[in-house]
Amino acid sequence: MLIKYESINFEQIFHKLLKIETFNNQQITIKLMKKVFTLITAMFITMGMSAQTESYKPIVVDGDNITLAPEFAAIVDADNNATNIVDGKSIVTISTANMTLEAVGGATIADKKDPEDPKANLGQDLTPGAVISADDHTYEIASVGSWNPISWKSGNNKLDINDAAGTKLYFVMGTGNPYVKMFCEEVYTDGEPTGKYRAQYEYYVPGGQTMPLVGLYYKFTPKVDGTLRVQIWANKGNRHTYVIDDVTKQALKYSAEGYINGQRANSTTPVMDPETGEQKLDNQGNPVWEQYQVFFTAEQIDSIHKAMKCTADTLDNGEVVYTETDPLYGPYIIAGGNQAFWGWITFKVEAGKSYWLFQDSSQVGFGGYEFNTGGEEPPVGNDLTEIAAAAVAEGGEVVINLEAGAQYTMSGPITRNNITIAGVEGSNAKVKMAAGTAFAPAANITLKNLDIDASELGTSALIALNASPIESSLNAEGGYYIINKVEILNCNISDVPQIISDNGVKYCVGNMTVDNCVVSLKATAAKTVFDMSKQGFINDLTVKNSTFCSKGTDQDYFVRYNNSGRCDRAGFASNSITFDHNTFYNVAKGGQWGNYSGFAGRNTSYWTMTANIFVDCGNGQVARRYLGGRANQATATFKDNTYWFDGAAEDTGDYDNSGTAIASDPQLKDPANGDFTPQGAEQVAAKTGDPRWLSADGISQMVVVEDNANAPVYNLAGQRVAPNTKGILVKNGRKFINK
């Protein structure tokens, strides 16, 4: 049994939707609902007087070895059939310090067998008794000849269908519908009796005094008050998923968050045509964007409920009360239609009471629970520094997946090497960096799907490369310590003094990428944003689809390398600096855009600057400083850039000599308040700058027109779909359900 005690945060914050990246199959992925230490060892952490959590997983994942947890494994045979059946039930008891769980599985009636024709349909192996209703052809059950075995086995669902690594939610699958009463029905064909019988069921209705007799359900009994968060897989999204108070027999209102039917949405990253170098268009001429699987927050799922056939009243205390006007739809139908749901449901529990979790006419997969025993909302923040220090690496790499929308703090530098720290796409994890902290690797690092508050760093860098390099990474010829990869993807970084610093060590970063990010710069003294000037350099730097703005002390440089930095000295054949589809505002306004004499004028140095908007940047000399002061560079590519400084177009001279520079005001909408939408006609026509400011990213930005039978149809993520698509859709600005 796995038991973990730690502080957690359930708060879900609805952020812009971003894409998810693929992980290598050989990496270990640590899914952090709070803190995860190992998959095998039970660990206990004392958190003082703050709220505590204990958790349980029914499936043990150890690399490629997927097994049932010991409590389930102990009561099944080699075919995963239960061996502990009593009165038609298999009961598995799980206990953590403050929670007892009974997982109850039930049998279903077996089919009759024809020895001469095993495929023949003879109905189920039961004998009818007294007539209940001649009109409905229903009878009592006199006897049951044979039952199917009760089974407990592992299941999984791939969280992201585009994730080649196969990121999955693992759960245990049980058997049996949790019925209140069972009877039988004679099968009629074309109005004629067939002499075959099958079981029919009466299912639970909230408020009824009889709980399910058998069938699959999970019964939680806490010893203390708290908040219970249960991970489930509901294959039948149109069935009621209930949490029933054992005392009142009423269904509890819970919050649900997770994935619905693999619905996808557009990211802000365009799909590029390799032949033209332009963004691809679909058959209707619309731009094509990379997609990701949408994580629906509790607020979004609540809005789906409100769009269904139910009404909601708001009480004086703000509580929303649902009244189901159609029993098929309502607050207990998580996904709507017949859409699968996989995610988490959260509800309050009281000490000594029992709570039953089940679907009324189907089975629910159980992925585990997390029980916060504080009886109140958990404290904000988990220490990411401790999490990273405790993470177990496999093959030298560590991947830490943070909980969607959760908040984390950093109490010290994170010095792990070859590390990826990732939030969930569509609901970025929030990281608050304290003074004196940094991401401080000496090898590869990826930061992804994070909202990082760096306001307390003062003059320090977000990524301060480690003062103690890895000796085996030393390039003997040039004396550089090589770091292959630094990535910042799909992040919002606020009030950061610097992005990266070589920390006085002779580092060469082979490839550094900043993609799909919004960065606000703020320092207590003038700093360089990409600062490798003490000893190092970045061989290939790419900044794309991003926005940088400054709202504090001016920057002295945007990019600065040590003048000795050169590709051949670190073992590379060429080097490059690429800026593609970015918006820069007030960055290094009185400083220089670039300084790297080792790159300038060399035929092995490649410069690509396309579709960027610069407003009040680089002292009006962005193009010149970008090329290191060398005009007419044969290896430089410029296209459709705007250089606007102090109300006039920058004179690009023989630096950007492409003839494509846009010499007009981009008219950023409200940059002082974070709205960098270009309103300049030329920039809009050429689709320049960070793409996020050019495209509508949700239904709320759609134009509603008069009802039109031929109007386009969208899903809830704002993605245009075919009119016959199943689920909750939007047409003419109104939501409707297409069954």
Side-chain angles (χ1 to χ4, degrees), residues 156-213:
N156 67 76
N157 187 74
K158 198 170 184 182
L159 286 182
D160 192 325
I161 57 178
N162 292 328
D163 183 357
T167 302
K168 296 176 181 178
L169 178 153
Y170 290 93
F171 50 86
V172 66
M173 297 189 297
T175 54
N177 290 339
Y179 60 86
V180 172
K181 182 179 180 180
M182 182 172 64
F183 50 95
C184 76
E185 173 190 38
E186 184 173 11
V187 179
Y188 273 60
T189 302
D190 297 328
E192 297 296 326
T194 64
K196 302 172 185 176
Y197 297 87
R198 62 190 175 195
Q200 290 294 305
Y201 303 96
E202 179 181 317
Y203 297 114
Y204 180 80
V205 175
Q209 295 304 305
T210 303
M211 297 299 287
L213 299 175

Side-chain angles (χ1 to χ4, degrees), residues 573-578 602-608 626 635-636:
S574 63
N575 52 255
S576 64
I577 300 180
T578 300
R602 296 178 58 82
N603 59 11
T604 54
S605 296
Y606 291 86
W607 325 82
T608 304
Y626 172 61
T635 54

Side-chain angles (χ1 to χ4, degrees), residues 106 153 330 410 415 457 500 533 560 575 621-622 666 693 735:
K153 58 185 179 180
M410 286 175 58
T415 59
L457 295 187
I500 190 170
S533 62
R560 189 181 186 187
N575 52 255
Q621 302 181 66
V622 170
W693 306 110
K735 293 179 182 177

